[in-house]
Amino acid sequence: LDQLQLLVDRCHKNGMEFFVCLRMNDRHGSARHAKFYLDHPEWRLEKFPGGLDYKYEGVRQPVLDFIAEVLERHDLDGIELDYQRWCHVFAPDEAVANTPLLNDFTRKARKIIDAAARKRGRERLRLSVRVPQTLEECHDLGFDVATWIKEGLVDDVCPSDFFFTDFNIRTEDFVKLAEGTNCKVYPSIHPLVAYNQPENIEPPHYIGAARNYYAFGAAGVSAYNYLYNWRRWTGGDRGFVDGWPKTLSFMTPLSDAKELSKLDRHYLSYPLWNPRAPTGAVKHDMIVIDRAKRASSDSLRFRVAEDLSDRNVKAELKVKVAGSRSGDAIRIAVNGSEIPSESFRRKHNPNGRSAKEGIALPAFDIYSVNLSGPPARFGDNFLSAELVRSAATVKQSDNATNENIKILEIEVIVRVLSNQ
């Protein structure tokens, strides 16, 4: 049996398109033992064991050959080039200079795909690319997304973190590049939200992320590593009996932007990596308050696609403050407007949080408050903080700590009061 053809046939029978996704430089352990990799040490990316260097035509051409072969053998609807496994196709210090090589590769891939479409009597087969979720990262890695879109080489762009759902993706940056073209933007959801956060996010989180994406021009949502929702890599119940039908149903409402307005949603803003993502970019956003200075010039951006002045919804803001003590007093502002301290509900956890529970934290507080607009606004919001009173110094043997205060997790929970 041809397993791939079985999948193609099943999808087409149910009115679904089928794409073959190519991981462009996967570096999982088996990659280091592949015959092609072993036979060509001169083509390896030395800084990234298992990776190959796309500056060599001997690396690029086999990928083009594979695209041609799979299109010849199967009636596909498209090809996806997944540059998020594992991001680097060039040496970091050569990536920008080698950008034209990847542009040429993409043009050749487009020609192969167009030829396959003509041969099968199809108007067009789609080419999708999965790339990092910021244009800065794309540029630094040699991914000239603007040229790919402008020349009509790609039909779909999926901005994506390597492993986590980023609620704050600047979807509009990619949408702007696609204005006046037929290219569509599909930001990505993942089952996890940040490093060392062991629990999968849940439907209200997916809904919050999707609303942020749609609000800034996304055509839809793409999913990546979604199988972790029913087969956890950390162990535990694999859920093969009922896990995958249940969690696939989580995606059903995400295809309808209007339908999402009727559902509760939960927005998250966490430091994604500690500190760098596999792309090389630092993604460790937090506010650090020096106890001696008591203030920080930093602020945290959190995106919430909500009109919180709408009486049909009720929102709650939760802010996690690490390194705090029960005697501390912290002033928190949203978009420059201070939220009165008496409005907050404060829950102190003197024992902190272990690595098994999430990002390891010392003693922390959770500040909760009802949130409305203003001060919150549709889209990007900015949270700032100041230590107005510091608790007395404590002994290092105590559970509390004398270290600086960190604000690193923001949540906004929106509940729908009426669907009218």
Side-chain angles (χ1 to χ4, degrees), residues 222-244:
S222 63
Y224 198 64
N225 271 345
Y226 195 77
L227 73 163
Y228 284 174
N229 276 308
W230 62 87
R231 184 182 179 186
R232 290 303 315 282
W233 61 279
T234 51
D237 182 11
R238 293 173 181 262
F240 283 127
V241 176
D242 62 357
W244 64 267

Side-chain angles (χ1 to χ4, degrees), residues 78-312:
I79 296 287
E80 179 171 273
L81 307 181
D82 176 11
Y83 287 105
Q84 284 298 76
R85 285 300 178 271
W86 284 42
C87 307
H88 294 276
V89 295
F90 301 118
D93 59 347
E94 298 178 350
V96 175
N98 286 335
T99 297
L101 295 176
L102 210 56
N103 287 346
D104 179 68
F105 169 88
T106 309
R107 294 183 188 106
K108 290 177 178 178
R110 179 78 259 174
K111 288 181 179 179
I112 292 170
I113 294 168
D114 287 346
R118 289 192 298 270
K119 186 173 182 179
R120 292 188 178 274
R122 304 278 296 272
E123 182 177 347
R124 187 175 177 88
L125 300 179
R126 301 183 72 82
L127 176 58
S128 171
V129 288
R130 182 171 297 276
V131 295
Q133 79 272 42
T134 71
L135 294 180
E136 292 79 9
E137 288 170 282
C138 291
H139 171 269
D140 292 346
L141 292 166
F143 308 151
D144 189 357
V145 179
T147 293
W148 300 349
I149 294 174
K150 181 180 179 180
E151 294 187 11
L153 304 179
V154 300
D155 302 282
D156 308 307
V157 176
C158 301
S160 173
D161 182 66
F162 184 87
F163 209 66
F164 306 121
T165 291
D166 185 354
F167 288 70
N168 297 321
I169 291 177
R170 291 185 57 84
T171 303
E172 63 273 25
D173 292 347
F174 293 88
V175 171
K176 185 176 181 179
L177 294 179
E179 286 180 355
T181 75
N182 293 321
C183 184
K184 306 296 183 183
V185 177
Y186 298 93
S188 300
I189 55 172
H190 299 248
L192 300 174
V193 70
Y195 74 100
N196 280 4
Q197 287 287 354
E199 297 301 321
N200 291 340
I201 60 177
E202 298 179 356
H205 303 114
Y206 290 126
I207 293 167
R211 279 180 63 85
N212 276 354
Y213 303 160
Y214 280 120
F216 289 89
V221 175
S222 63
Y224 198 64
N225 271 345
Y226 195 77
L227 73 163
Y228 284 174
N229 276 308
W230 62 87
R231 184 182 179 186
R232 290 303 315 282
W233 61 279
T234 51
D237 182 11
R238 293 173 181 262
F240 283 127
V241 176
D242 62 357
W244 64 267
K246 176 183 177 182
T247 56
L248 284 176
S249 72
F250 296 168
M251 284 197 282
T252 304
L254 302 185
S255 64
D256 187 340
K258 292 182 179 179
E259 187 67 19
L260 298 182
S261 65
K262 303 176 184 178
L263 304 172
D264 293 347
R265 44 264 189 192
H266 193 161
Y267 300 85
L268 303 175
S269 183
Y270 283 30
L272 298 182
W273 295 90
N274 184 27
R276 294 182 183 274
T279 60
V282 174
K283 295 186 178 180
H284 197 50
D285 295 342
M286 64 176 64
I287 296 173
V288 179
I289 301 177
D290 187 323
R291 279 192 174 273
K293 297 179 181 179
R294 296 196 179 187
S296 171
S297 60
D298 298 328
S299 64
L300 285 178
R301 178 176 72 93
F302 63 102
R303 178 164 286 192
V304 180
E306 299 285 346
D307 176 9
L308 295 181
S309 64
D310 185 350
R311 294 183 179 180
N312 293 322

Side-chain angles (χ1 to χ4, degrees), residues 59-69 105-106 108-109 112:
V59 173
R60 301 193 303 273
Q61 188 58 47
V63 180
L64 295 171
D65 293 342
F66 182 85
I67 293 172
E69 177 186 348
F105 169 88
T106 309
K108 290 177 178 178
I112 292 170

